[in-house]
Amino acid sequence: MTDWAQVRADGFAVPTDRPLSDLIAELSVLLRSPDPLVRDGQAYATLATWIGTGVLSADQLRSLGDEMVARFADEEIQARTFAPLILDSIVSAGVFEPNWVPPFERWYVAEEDLRGFDPKLGWLHAVAHGGDLLAALARMPAVEPVEMLRLGIGRLLTPTEHVFRDLEDDRLGYALSVALTRSDLAEEEATAWLDPAIRAAAAGRAGGYPDGIPAEMSNTLRTLRVVYLMLDHGVHLDDDNPRTEVPHRDVVKARLVEFFQTVTPYYF
Protein backbone atom coordinates (compact mmCIF):
# COMPACT_ATOMS: atom_id res chain seq x y z
CA MET A 1 0.00 0.00 0.00
CA THR A 2 1.18 3.51 -0.78
CA ASP A 3 2.35 5.74 2.04
CA TRP A 4 -0.20 8.48 1.45
CA ALA A 5 0.93 10.50 4.44
CA GLN A 6 4.34 10.73 2.77
CA VAL A 7 2.73 11.65 -0.55
CA ARG A 8 1.04 14.54 1.18
CA ALA A 9 4.27 15.55 2.89
CA ASP A 10 5.95 15.56 -0.53
CA GLY A 11 3.44 18.09 -1.87
CA PHE A 12 1.20 15.44 -3.44
CA ALA A 13 3.84 14.38 -5.95
CA VAL A 14 2.58 11.38 -7.95
CA PRO A 15 4.39 8.16 -6.97
CA THR A 16 6.21 6.63 -9.93
CA ASP A 17 6.49 3.04 -8.72
CA ARG A 18 2.92 2.07 -9.63
CA PRO A 19 0.48 2.77 -12.48
CA LEU A 20 -1.69 5.83 -11.95
CA SER A 21 -4.82 3.72 -12.37
CA ASP A 22 -3.79 1.60 -9.38
CA LEU A 23 -3.17 4.70 -7.28
CA ILE A 24 -6.58 6.12 -8.15
CA ALA A 25 -8.27 2.83 -7.27
CA GLU A 26 -6.50 2.75 -3.91
CA LEU A 27 -7.47 6.32 -3.12
CA SER A 28 -11.07 5.60 -4.07
CA VAL A 29 -11.20 2.74 -1.56
CA LEU A 30 -9.71 4.98 1.13
CA LEU A 31 -12.46 7.55 0.54
CA ARG A 32 -14.80 5.12 2.32
CA SER A 33 -12.58 4.92 5.38
CA PRO A 34 -14.18 5.76 8.75
CA ASP A 35 -10.81 7.24 9.78
CA PRO A 36 -10.96 10.97 8.98
CA LEU A 37 -7.16 11.23 8.80
CA VAL A 38 -7.12 8.63 6.05
CA ARG A 39 -10.31 9.64 4.25
CA ASP A 40 -10.12 13.42 4.45
CA GLY A 41 -6.49 14.18 5.12
CA GLN A 42 -5.01 11.69 2.66
CA ALA A 43 -7.48 10.25 0.11
CA TYR A 44 -9.63 13.31 -0.50
CA ALA A 45 -6.76 15.79 -0.26
CA THR A 46 -4.68 13.82 -2.75
CA LEU A 47 -7.45 13.15 -5.26
CA ALA A 48 -8.75 16.73 -5.16
CA THR A 49 -5.22 18.05 -5.70
CA TRP A 50 -4.50 15.69 -8.56
CA ILE A 51 -7.84 16.46 -10.22
CA GLY A 52 -7.26 20.19 -9.86
CA THR A 53 -3.76 20.01 -11.31
CA GLY A 54 -4.69 17.84 -14.29
CA VAL A 55 -3.02 14.59 -13.24
CA LEU A 56 -6.05 12.47 -14.19
CA SER A 57 -7.14 12.10 -17.81
CA ALA A 58 -10.70 12.84 -18.91
CA ASP A 59 -11.44 9.11 -19.15
CA GLN A 60 -10.09 8.54 -15.64
CA LEU A 61 -12.22 11.40 -14.35
CA ARG A 62 -15.34 9.95 -15.96
CA SER A 63 -14.66 6.54 -14.50
CA LEU A 64 -14.05 8.01 -11.06
CA GLY A 65 -17.20 10.10 -11.41
CA ASP A 66 -19.26 7.00 -12.19
CA GLU A 67 -17.82 5.35 -9.10
CA MET A 68 -18.69 8.34 -6.92
CA VAL A 69 -22.27 8.41 -8.24
CA ALA A 70 -22.67 4.78 -7.16
CA ARG A 71 -21.53 5.84 -3.67
CA PHE A 72 -24.74 7.81 -3.16
CA ALA A 73 -26.34 4.44 -2.37
CA ASP A 74 -23.49 3.30 -0.11
CA GLU A 75 -24.40 2.04 3.35
CA GLU A 76 -21.67 4.13 4.99
CA ILE A 77 -22.45 7.79 5.63
CA GLN A 78 -18.87 8.96 5.09
CA ALA A 79 -18.80 7.24 1.69
CA ARG A 80 -22.01 8.98 0.67
CA THR A 81 -20.94 12.43 1.80
CA PHE A 82 -17.45 12.41 0.28
CA ALA A 83 -18.77 11.37 -3.12
CA PRO A 84 -20.15 14.86 -3.89
CA LEU A 85 -16.83 16.46 -2.93
CA ILE A 86 -14.95 14.41 -5.51
CA LEU A 87 -17.70 14.98 -8.09
CA ASP A 88 -17.43 18.71 -7.40
CA SER A 89 -13.71 18.53 -8.21
CA ILE A 90 -14.38 16.51 -11.38
CA VAL A 91 -17.14 18.80 -12.67
CA SER A 92 -15.10 21.89 -11.81
CA ALA A 93 -12.26 20.38 -13.87
CA GLY A 94 -14.59 20.36 -16.90
CA VAL A 95 -15.74 16.73 -17.03
CA PHE A 96 -19.48 16.18 -16.73
CA GLU A 97 -21.97 13.46 -17.53
CA PRO A 98 -25.72 14.24 -17.46
CA ASN A 99 -26.50 10.84 -15.92
CA TRP A 100 -24.65 11.89 -12.76
CA VAL A 101 -27.32 14.45 -11.87
CA PRO A 102 -30.45 12.35 -11.06
CA PRO A 103 -28.70 10.07 -8.52
CA PHE A 104 -27.24 13.13 -6.82
CA GLU A 105 -30.65 14.80 -6.68
CA ARG A 106 -32.28 11.72 -5.18
CA TRP A 107 -29.60 11.36 -2.54
CA TYR A 108 -29.39 15.04 -1.60
CA VAL A 109 -33.06 15.42 -0.77
CA ALA A 110 -33.41 12.01 0.90
CA GLU A 111 -30.25 11.89 3.04
CA GLU A 112 -31.31 11.67 6.69
CA ASP A 113 -27.91 11.70 8.39
CA LEU A 114 -27.10 15.39 8.39
CA ARG A 115 -24.39 15.40 11.04
CA GLY A 116 -21.73 17.98 10.37
CA PHE A 117 -18.83 16.82 12.50
CA ASP A 118 -18.73 13.49 14.29
CA PRO A 119 -16.11 12.90 17.02
CA LYS A 120 -15.12 9.54 15.52
CA LEU A 121 -15.87 9.90 11.82
CA GLY A 122 -14.77 13.51 11.47
CA TRP A 123 -16.42 15.78 8.91
CA LEU A 124 -19.49 14.29 7.23
CA HIS A 125 -21.36 17.45 6.20
CA ALA A 126 -23.93 16.05 3.77
CA VAL A 127 -25.66 19.41 3.33
CA ALA A 128 -22.46 21.40 2.80
CA HIS A 129 -20.75 18.85 0.57
CA GLY A 130 -23.89 18.42 -1.49
CA GLY A 131 -24.17 22.19 -1.71
CA ASP A 132 -20.66 22.36 -3.14
CA LEU A 133 -21.61 19.94 -5.91
CA LEU A 134 -24.88 21.79 -6.49
CA ALA A 135 -22.88 24.99 -7.05
CA ALA A 136 -20.58 23.27 -9.54
CA LEU A 137 -23.53 21.78 -11.44
CA ALA A 138 -25.33 25.13 -11.45
CA ARG A 139 -22.48 26.55 -13.54
CA MET A 140 -22.72 23.83 -16.18
CA PRO A 141 -24.56 24.96 -19.33
CA ALA A 142 -25.98 21.44 -19.72
CA VAL A 143 -27.74 21.69 -16.35
CA GLU A 144 -30.92 23.74 -16.07
CA PRO A 145 -30.38 26.31 -13.29
CA VAL A 146 -33.99 26.06 -12.15
CA GLU A 147 -33.40 22.34 -11.57
CA MET A 148 -30.67 23.19 -9.06
CA LEU A 149 -32.82 25.86 -7.40
CA ARG A 150 -35.64 23.37 -6.93
CA LEU A 151 -33.20 20.81 -5.60
CA GLY A 152 -31.83 23.28 -3.06
CA ILE A 153 -35.22 24.34 -1.75
CA GLY A 154 -36.29 20.70 -1.66
CA ARG A 155 -33.33 19.87 0.56
CA LEU A 156 -34.13 22.81 2.82
CA LEU A 157 -37.80 21.96 3.27
CA THR A 158 -37.37 18.22 3.85
CA PRO A 159 -38.38 17.58 7.47
CA THR A 160 -35.44 17.08 9.81
CA GLU A 161 -34.42 17.57 13.41
CA HIS A 162 -30.99 18.88 12.39
CA VAL A 163 -30.40 22.62 12.67
CA PHE A 164 -27.60 23.77 10.39
CA ARG A 165 -24.19 24.58 11.85
CA ASP A 166 -20.57 24.85 10.68
CA LEU A 167 -21.49 27.10 7.72
CA GLU A 168 -23.89 24.60 6.15
CA ASP A 169 -26.38 27.41 5.47
CA ASP A 170 -23.64 29.54 3.91
CA ARG A 171 -22.51 26.83 1.52
CA LEU A 172 -25.99 25.90 0.35
CA GLY A 173 -26.93 29.59 0.18
CA TYR A 174 -23.90 30.22 -2.00
CA ALA A 175 -24.87 27.34 -4.29
CA LEU A 176 -28.38 28.74 -4.76
CA SER A 177 -26.89 32.16 -5.47
CA VAL A 178 -24.63 30.66 -8.14
CA ALA A 179 -27.67 29.17 -9.87
CA LEU A 180 -29.33 32.59 -9.82
CA THR A 181 -26.42 34.14 -11.75
CA ARG A 182 -27.26 32.12 -14.87
CA SER A 183 -28.25 34.42 -17.72
CA ASP A 184 -30.55 31.76 -19.20
CA LEU A 185 -32.74 31.71 -16.09
CA ALA A 186 -36.13 33.26 -16.89
CA GLU A 187 -37.58 35.79 -14.44
CA GLU A 188 -40.46 33.50 -13.49
CA GLU A 189 -38.04 30.62 -12.86
CA ALA A 190 -35.85 32.89 -10.74
CA THR A 191 -38.69 33.39 -8.27
CA ALA A 192 -41.05 30.39 -8.60
CA TRP A 193 -38.64 28.03 -6.79
CA LEU A 194 -39.37 30.05 -3.63
CA ASP A 195 -43.10 29.29 -3.74
CA PRO A 196 -42.88 26.06 -1.68
CA ALA A 197 -40.99 27.91 1.06
CA ILE A 198 -43.58 30.69 1.18
CA ARG A 199 -46.42 28.18 1.31
CA ALA A 200 -44.72 26.22 4.09
CA ALA A 201 -44.06 29.39 6.07
CA ALA A 202 -47.67 30.56 5.67
CA ALA A 203 -49.02 27.18 6.80
CA GLY A 204 -46.72 27.17 9.83
CA ARG A 205 -47.63 30.69 10.83
CA ALA A 206 -51.34 29.94 10.46
CA GLY A 207 -50.90 26.96 12.75
CA GLY A 208 -48.98 29.02 15.29
CA TYR A 209 -46.00 26.63 15.48
CA PRO A 210 -47.27 24.92 18.66
CA ASP A 211 -44.07 22.88 18.94
CA GLY A 212 -41.79 25.74 17.93
CA ILE A 213 -40.39 26.59 14.51
CA PRO A 214 -39.29 23.31 12.86
CA ALA A 215 -35.60 22.82 12.17
CA GLU A 216 -36.19 22.79 8.41
CA MET A 217 -37.91 26.18 8.54
CA SER A 218 -35.09 27.61 10.62
CA ASN A 219 -32.60 26.19 8.11
CA THR A 220 -34.54 27.66 5.20
CA LEU A 221 -34.73 31.08 6.80
CA ARG A 222 -31.01 31.20 7.57
CA THR A 223 -29.98 29.90 4.15
CA LEU A 224 -32.18 32.33 2.23
CA ARG A 225 -30.75 35.20 4.26
CA VAL A 226 -27.41 34.23 2.79
CA VAL A 227 -28.93 34.34 -0.69
CA TYR A 228 -30.36 37.81 -0.02
CA LEU A 229 -26.97 39.06 1.12
CA MET A 230 -25.24 37.68 -1.96
CA LEU A 231 -27.83 39.23 -4.24
CA ASP A 232 -27.10 42.54 -2.57
CA HIS A 233 -23.33 42.36 -2.97
CA GLY A 234 -22.79 40.09 -5.96
CA VAL A 235 -21.78 36.44 -6.17
CA HIS A 236 -18.09 35.49 -6.16
CA LEU A 237 -17.87 32.83 -8.87
CA ASP A 238 -14.06 32.81 -9.07
CA ASP A 239 -11.13 35.21 -9.00
CA ASP A 240 -11.94 36.37 -12.54
CA ASN A 241 -15.57 37.00 -11.56
CA PRO A 242 -15.40 38.30 -7.97
CA ARG A 243 -18.75 40.05 -7.98
CA THR A 244 -21.23 38.68 -10.49
CA GLU A 245 -24.64 40.35 -10.52
CA VAL A 246 -27.81 38.28 -10.45
CA PRO A 247 -29.89 39.05 -13.60
CA HIS A 248 -33.29 39.21 -11.84
CA ARG A 249 -31.91 40.54 -8.59
CA ASP A 250 -34.71 42.96 -7.65
CA VAL A 251 -37.62 40.58 -8.23
CA VAL A 252 -35.82 37.75 -6.44
CA LYS A 253 -35.07 40.02 -3.49
CA ALA A 254 -38.72 41.08 -3.35
CA ARG A 255 -39.80 37.43 -3.30
CA LEU A 256 -37.28 36.67 -0.57
CA VAL A 257 -38.64 39.55 1.48
CA GLU A 258 -42.12 38.06 1.09
CA PHE A 259 -40.81 34.82 2.55
CA PHE A 260 -39.00 36.57 5.41
CA GLN A 261 -42.11 38.56 6.28
CA THR A 262 -44.18 35.41 6.39
CA VAL A 263 -41.84 33.80 8.92
CA THR A 264 -40.69 36.87 10.82
CA PRO A 265 -43.06 39.80 10.16
CA TYR A 266 -41.02 42.17 12.31
CA TYR A 267 -38.12 42.19 9.87
CA PHE A 268 -39.21 44.57 7.11
Side-chain angles (χ1 to χ4, degrees):
M1 183 178 242
T2 305
D3 185 347
W4 293 108
Q6 187 60 50
V7 170
R8 177 168 184 152
D10 292 339
F12 299 105
V14 181
T16 58
D17 59 337
R18 297 175 61 197
L20 180 58
S21 58
D22 289 353
L23 296 171
I24 295 169
E26 188 176 318
L27 288 167
S28 178
V29 170
L30 295 179
L31 277 172
R32 294 187 74 256
S33 173
D35 184 342
L37 295 179
V38 172
R39 181 187 69 252
D40 202 337
Q42 296 177 17
Y44 168 69
T46 303
L47 269 177
T49 300
W50 286 0
I51 293 169
T53 54
V55 172
L56 279 67
S57 69
D59 285 343
Q60 288 170 328
L61 291 173
R62 288 190 185 90
S63 178
L64 183 60
D66 289 341
E67 194 172 343
M68 292 302 105
V69 167
R71 294 264 172 99
F72 288 128
D74 199 286
E75 61 183 13
E76 297 288 340
I77 178 60
Q78 73 276 4
R80 298 196 299 273
T81 62
F82 269 71
L85 281 184
I86 295 298
L87 280 167
D88 172 23
S89 296
I90 293 171
V91 172
S92 297
V95 173
F96 166 74
E97 293 295 331
N99 62 1
W100 293 346
V101 179
F104 165 60
E105 292 177 321
R106 290 192 292 270
W107 165 76
Y108 197 41
V109 172
E111 180 59 64
E112 296 180 352
D113 191 340
L114 303 184
R115 286 174 292 170
F117 184 82
D118 180 81
K120 291 184 178 179
L121 295 175
W123 288 108
L124 299 173
H125 246 181
V127 172
H129 293 178
D132 294 347
L133 177 56
L134 194 156
L137 292 173
R139 298 188 66 177
M140 296 297 298
V143 176
E144 292 289 340
V146 69
E147 186 179 356
M148 294 297 100
L149 291 169
R150 290 169 180 163
L151 174 61
I153 204 67
R155 172 65 274 179
L156 286 169
L157 293 174
T158 298
T160 180
E161 295 182 357
H162 173 75
V163 176
F164 289 169
R165 53 174 295 177
D166 299 316
L167 300 181
E168 290 166 317
D169 38 6
D170 286 72
R171 284 163 75 171
L172 181 49
Y174 172 75
L176 292 168
S177 301
V178 170
L180 288 167
T181 66
R182 288 276 295 270
S183 60
D184 55 340
L185 187 67
E187 181 176 315
E188 181 181 357
E189 293 174 328
T191 58
W193 65 281
L194 289 166
D195 290 351
I198 293 173
R199 288 195 297 268
R205 185 176 175 188
Y209 292 119
D211 300 318
I213 294 180
E216 64 269 18
M217 184 53 64
S218 177
N219 294 337
T220 304
L221 179 63
R222 292 162 56 188
T223 302
L224 294 185
R225 285 176 185 154
V226 174
V227 175
Y228 189 95
L229 180 64
M230 291 194 176
L231 264 60
D232 240 6
H233 292 272
V235 183
H236 189 291
L237 295 179
D238 50 52
D239 290 341
D240 294 327
N241 301 279
R243 210 166 261 212
T244 300
E245 297 268 334
V246 170
H248 307 293
R249 167 181 150 173
D250 291 341
V251 292
V252 178
K253 285 177 65 177
R255 195 70 170 143
L256 285 168
V257 168
E258 184 178 345
F259 168 71
F260 297 145
Q261 287 177 325
T262 305
V263 183
T264 53
Y266 48 80
Y267 257 84
F268 295 90

